[in-house]
């Protein structure tokens, strides 16, 4: 259900909460590259982000939510922190391979459930040379999530684990 609502360019979106997708026209995302959306476990839309800002469910820019790093074309994803109520990691990969890999932490318990960024654009040292594409995969049998991206200098795949302890900055490398 956390992926039941999608928003993408030109304020358009899709709602999958009722079986067949329903068109949405009131989103905040204007640019089609690098955007992400997350809903709660019941499918209720929580927030979205794009290359410019983090947007609340009411359409306003989230507290501390103006983006300071421009993500690449597919370099933005949201991951719920397993076992932590209302905390979400937002991972950003820069548009060029030398712009790095970062995370921000969103606390949805703040500002009456509209959320705020409490850690912003924290560099991930081992991801200094990642490409602008990020994928996420749930670890089988758990709520843990692998965040996967590609390095350029070593021609390797990086997999970072997000579990009940938070984000593990030491990746598993696959060559």
């Amino acid at each position: 259900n956390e992926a039941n609502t999608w928003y993408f360019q030109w304020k358009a979106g899709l709602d999958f909460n009722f079986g067949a997708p329903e068109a949405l026209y009131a989103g905040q995302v204007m640019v089609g590259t690098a955007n992400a959306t997350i809903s709660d476990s019941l499918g209720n839309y929580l927030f979205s982000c794009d290359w410019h800002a983090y947007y609340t469910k009411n359409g306003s820019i989230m507290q501390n939510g103006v983006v300071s790093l421009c993500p690449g074309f597919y370099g933005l994803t949201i991951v719920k922190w397993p076992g932590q109520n209302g905390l979400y990691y937002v991972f950003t990969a820069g548009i060029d391979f030398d712009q790095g890999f970062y995370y921000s932490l969103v606390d949805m318990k703040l500002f009456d459930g509209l959320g705020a960024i409490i850690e912003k654009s924290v560099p991930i040292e081992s991801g200094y040379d990642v490409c602008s594409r990020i994928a996420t995969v749930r670890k089988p049998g758990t709520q843990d999530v692998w965040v996967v991206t590609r390095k350029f200098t070593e021609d390797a795949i990086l997999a970072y684990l997000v579990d009940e302890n938070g984000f593990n900055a030491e990746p598993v490398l696959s060559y």
Side-chain angles (χ1 to χ4, degrees):
N1 290 339
E2 293 169 350
N4 278 6
T5 304
W6 300 0
Y7 280 110
F8 34 86
Q9 72 247 28
W10 309 119
K11 298 187 178 190
L14 292 172
D15 185 341
F16 292 91
N17 280 307
F18 307 103
E22 295 182 15
L24 301 173
Y25 302 101
Q28 298 81 36
V29 174
M30 284 299 297
V31 177
T33 59
N35 52 62
T37 305
I38 193 81
S39 298
D40 64 17
S41 62
L42 299 176
N44 300 308
Y45 168 68
L46 292 175
F47 71 95
S48 59
C49 47
D50 64 11
W51 67 274
H52 172 70
Y54 291 61
Y55 303 99
T56 70
K57 62 186 173 188
N58 292 344
S60 60
I61 293 178
M62 189 178 286
Q63 180 72 29
N64 199 23
V66 175
V67 171
S68 59
L69 173 74
C70 183
F73 292 107
Y74 306 102
L76 194 60
T77 194
I78 303 169
V79 174
K80 184 178 186 321
W81 184 342
Q84 299 295 320
N85 183 32
L87 294 177
Y88 294 84
Y89 284 98
V90 179
F91 293 94
T92 305
I95 196 162
D96 292 320
F97 72 89
D98 62 349
Q99 289 184 330
F101 193 38
Y102 302 83
Y103 74 83
S104 296
L105 189 58
V106 174
D107 187 342
M108 291 304 297
K109 297 180 301 290
L110 300 176
F111 296 98
D112 295 323
L114 295 179
I117 299 175
I118 57 174
E119 292 182 35
K120 188 173 183 179
S121 299
V122 177
I124 302 167
E125 194 171 317
S126 58
Y128 72 91
D129 66 334
V130 303
C131 71
S132 67
R133 282 143 177 86
I134 306 170
T136 58
V137 180
R138 179 150 293 148
K139 187 176 176 184
T142 73
Q143 293 299 309
D144 302 348
V145 177
W146 290 104
V147 178
V148 182
T149 189
R150 180 179 178 268
K151 286 180 76 71
F152 277 104
T153 57
E154 297 178 52
D155 195 23
I157 301 295
L158 300 172
Y160 297 90
L161 186 62
V162 179
D163 62 15
E164 67 278 353
N165 297 312
F167 171 69
N168 183 344
E170 293 300 319
V172 173
L173 274 87
S174 301
Y175 294 95

